Amino acid sequence: MSAQAQLAEAISPTELRRAFSVFPTGVVAVCALIEGKPVGFAVNSFNSVSLDPPLVSICVGNTSSTWPMLAKADRLGLTVLGASHSELCRKLASRTADRFEGAAWTAKDNGAILIDDGALWLECRQSAAFPAGDHEMIMLEVHEAKLFATIDPLVFHQSQFRELMGET
Ligand SMILES: Cc1cc2nc3c(=O)[nH]c(=O)nc-3n(C[C@H](O)[C@H](O)[C@H](O)COP(=O)(O)O)c2cc1C
């Protein structure tokens, strides 16, 4: 048995999902106008990567039907969702709901879509993609950044949406 197969047998995907879920993350909406329509999904695999050049990464499931559409866009809007966005986040992950129903968003001339009341807006361009198991790691160059410092981010922890508590 290969080392990879042994690893996969040692910890089941269900156990792993539960284990990883204790690590709190923000949630980012990745969105763009594609053929005049808003397209997007929610990810919590967002990471800051480099300051010079400015790079961030996301990991996209190999079975995602949304990413192949977004991958064609010249620019992608990344919004760090705000504390008021739990319902919208569920929609942005749904396979059946109208993902943008009731959402307030802003489309830039370059096609990036940014969600109103988010904590951070980034306008990005895809720069590289690396295979990563059942996901693909996508590297994105950051071309514009707009911070909304008074808006708290939505927090995802143990499969639930939470809000930040006070300082310790
Ligand atoms: C909180 C949260 C975080 C998610 N993070 C990711 C992620 O990092 N990468 C990913 O590919 N999908 C992630 N998803 C799932 C996608 O939002 C979406 O449900 C999935 O891509 C299936 O839809 P699609 O086939 O339209 O792409 C996440 C969903 C939720 C609710």
Side-chain angles (χ1 to χ4, degrees), residues 49 56-60 67 71 76 126-130 136-140:
V49 174
V56 299
S57 68
I58 58 171
C59 291
V60 180
W67 176 248
L76 294 171
Q126 187 181 333
S127 68
F130 309 97
E136 192 176 20
M137 182 179 260
I138 312 293
M139 204 60 70
L140 300 158

Side-chain angles (χ1 to χ4, degrees), residues 27 41-46 59-61 63-67 89-90 92-95 99 135 156 161:
V27 191
F41 67 164
V43 304
N44 70 336
S45 54
F46 171 88
C59 291
V60 180
T63 58
S64 170
S65 57
T66 303
W67 176 248
C89 181
R90 283 191 191 91
L92 284 171
S94 164
R95 288 179 192 272
R99 290 190 175 173
H135 281 61
F156 192 60
F161 295 113

Side-chain angles (χ1 to χ4, degrees), residues 27-158:
V27 191
V28 171
V30 182
C31 307
L33 268 186
I34 308 289
E35 293 169 8
K37 294 199 178 117
V39 172
F41 67 164
V43 304
N44 70 336
S45 54
F46 171 88
N47 264 301
S48 55
V49 174
S50 164
L51 298 178
D52 185 12
L55 295 172
V56 299
S57 68
I58 58 171
C59 291
V60 180
N62 294 335
T63 58
S64 170
S65 57
T66 303
W67 176 248
M69 291 188 268
L70 288 174
K72 291 186 211 142
D74 181 42
R75 294 292 162 101
L76 294 171
L78 270 63
T79 302
V80 174
L81 292 178
S84 66
H85 284 145
S86 55
E87 203 47 53
L88 174 64
C89 181
R90 283 191 191 91
K91 282 192 193 143
L92 284 171
S94 164
R95 288 179 192 272
T96 50
D98 171 357
R99 290 190 175 173
F100 290 85
E101 191 235 321
W105 47 273
T106 302
K108 294 299 188 78
D109 289 342
N110 59 28
I113 288 186
L114 299 151
I115 308 291
D116 295 1
D117 298 322
L120 174 67
W121 285 359
L122 298 175
E123 289 174 49
C124 300
R125 187 199 292 266
Q126 187 181 333
S127 68
F130 309 97
D134 57 10
H135 281 61
E136 192 176 20
M137 182 179 260
I138 312 293
M139 204 60 70
L140 300 158
E141 297 165 353
V142 179
H143 288 260
E144 297 284 340
K146 188 169 181 188
L147 170 69
F148 302 91
T150 56
I151 297 185
D152 276 350
L154 184 66
V155 176
F156 192 60
H157 175 246
Q158 292 193 340

Side-chain angles (χ1 to χ4, degrees), residues 1-10:
M1 192 189 287
S2 73
Q4 269 191 335
Q6 277 177 354
L7 257 183
E9 235 180 46

